[in-house]
Amino acid sequence: MPSAVIITGPGFQDHDVVYTYYRLLEEGWSVDIATKNGSDVTGKYGIPLPMDKTARPLISFEQLNAPGYDAVILTGGHEAPDRVRQDSNVLDFVRAMDAAGKVVAGLCHGPWIMVSAGVLKGRRACAYIGLRDDVINAGADVVDSDVIVDGHIITCSYYAYVGRFMQQVFETVAKQQAVAAV
């Protein structure tokens, strides 16, 4: 069973977290949600984390461990990623996922965390208009697109494209698992 962690914080884009979380579960993935200190947080439009009584407890940034995951989903809502990217545990984890060739996927403002982790240099990416300059200054070749896949790095420019974004996450991890099985 593939596994993913969604990393977020207070003021997250509710659509991003809700959709990615339930799509991962629907596909049979094991899913964790990580927040600072594993604390409950609330989204921009009032969605609480954890979302429901069946959800696993939130984990802390200190518990992030690259060997335990096939993918990391970095969600948007400008407030949450800006706070999250200031945490060295998250940045170290994202760098470790990148170094291991595992899927690092940023949605809307989520790539801000990728910028701060330094994993976009020399990559092809798309970017929400509000962080386009940051992604360019991080050394990425920014393309005007809904979703871009560059190896194991996946970016999505806006939450309205989250369906295509998740499809690319599933396809990229499936390809990696098929190669590993050979």
Side-chain angles (χ1 to χ4, degrees), residues 28-143:
W29 286 45
S30 172
V31 185
D32 286 322
I33 298 177
T35 61
K36 187 170 186 70
N37 301 319
S39 299
D40 293 358
V41 295
T42 302
K44 184 176 177 178
Y45 299 108
I47 298 289
L49 290 180
M51 287 181 275
D52 63 46
K53 64 183 178 182
T54 66
R56 291 164 48 167
L58 302 176
I59 66 167
S60 71
F61 294 158
E62 292 80 15
Q63 293 174 277
L64 294 169
N65 183 5
Y69 298 102
D70 298 297
V72 56
I73 309 291
L74 305 168
T75 60
H78 73 278
E79 182 182 354
D82 195 33
R83 290 178 187 218
V84 168
R85 71 187 185 141
Q86 297 174 43
D87 191 287
S88 62
N89 294 299
V90 171
L91 300 182
D92 290 344
F93 172 73
V94 170
R95 287 183 200 112
M97 291 289 286
D98 176 53
K102 295 186 176 190
V103 170
V104 178
L107 172 59
C108 203
H109 276 82
W112 252 350
I113 301 164
M114 300 160 85
V115 166
S116 294
V119 301
L120 290 177
K121 186 173 185 170
R123 297 286 186 176
R124 217 169 143 251
C126 59
Y128 181 71
I129 190 66
L131 61 115
R132 182 179 177 87
D133 291 344
D134 297 319
V135 176
I136 290 169
N137 290 334
D141 174 22
V142 175
V143 178

